[in-house]
Amino acid sequence: MAPLVGIIMGSDSDLPTMQGAIAVCEEFGVDTEVAIISAHRTPERMVEYAKSAHQRGIKVIIAGAGGAAHLPGMVASLTPLPVIGVPVPSRHLQGVDSLYSIVQMPAGIPVATVAIGNAKNAGLLAVQILATHQAELLNKVQQYRQTLSESVMAKQEKLEEVGYEEYLRQMQSAE
């Protein structure tokens, strides 16, 4: 089956962060393609990728970038597809520079942006976008949300049962 989500990053050093998006897509059974495409070092490759993605069946692009973080915005300017930007934490500014770069897009060129380093949410957002036209995927998203709710309720029940001090001790000993 052709991939529906393109997961791209500016450098292989971004892969540990972007793994979260890949894992979520795999969990939901959404096929992906993963590529290293640098806005600065391989600009022609970036242009070709962005312009051809929709013709190859890609429906959503997740673009991770650190530092100057131009990849998500540049790709968004070249494709009709939704682009989700993932600010990758950097050594010097912890990803704040990337976040600012990605969210400061001019009017007309939107890039949905998740929290610094939170590629998992980018994967979930991509899945939710696809689910708007796929009933089976929508059901999986609803089940996932139900599981999240049940997890929180189980934690609340345990907190009530053992009290906050014991709950906190158990949390700290699990670390």
Side-chain angles (χ1 to χ4, degrees), residues 75-137:
V75 168
S77 74
L78 294 163
T79 185
L81 299 175
V83 175
I84 304 166
V86 178
V88 174
S90 59
R91 220 173 313 154
H92 303 290
L93 297 173
Q94 290 75 47
V96 173
D97 51 340
S98 305
L99 174 67
Y100 288 162
S101 180
I102 296 170
V103 299
Q104 293 300 324
M105 291 302 297
I109 310 295
V111 175
T113 310
V114 297
I116 297 168
N118 198 342
K120 179 177 181 177
N121 268 359
L124 287 168
L125 182 55
V127 167
Q128 289 175 309
I129 290 169
L130 295 172
T132 62
H133 292 91
Q134 295 182 25
E136 183 180 330
L137 198 52

Side-chain angles (χ1 to χ4, degrees), residues 33-100:
E33 65 181 22
V34 179
I36 299 168
I37 300 173
S38 172
H40 302 111
R41 294 179 294 264
T42 60
E44 293 90 0
R45 177 171 157 73
M46 177 198 64
V47 169
E48 176 56 33
Y49 182 91
K51 286 186 171 185
S52 69
H54 70 284
Q55 296 164 338
R56 294 181 291 105
I58 298 294
K59 303 296 183 199
V60 182
I61 297 172
I62 300 172
H70 291 130
L71 184 63
M74 291 302 298
V75 168
S77 74
L78 294 163
T79 185
L81 299 175
V83 175
I84 304 166
V86 178
V88 174
S90 59
R91 220 173 313 154
H92 303 290
L93 297 173
Q94 290 75 47
V96 173
D97 51 340
S98 305
L99 174 67
Y100 288 162

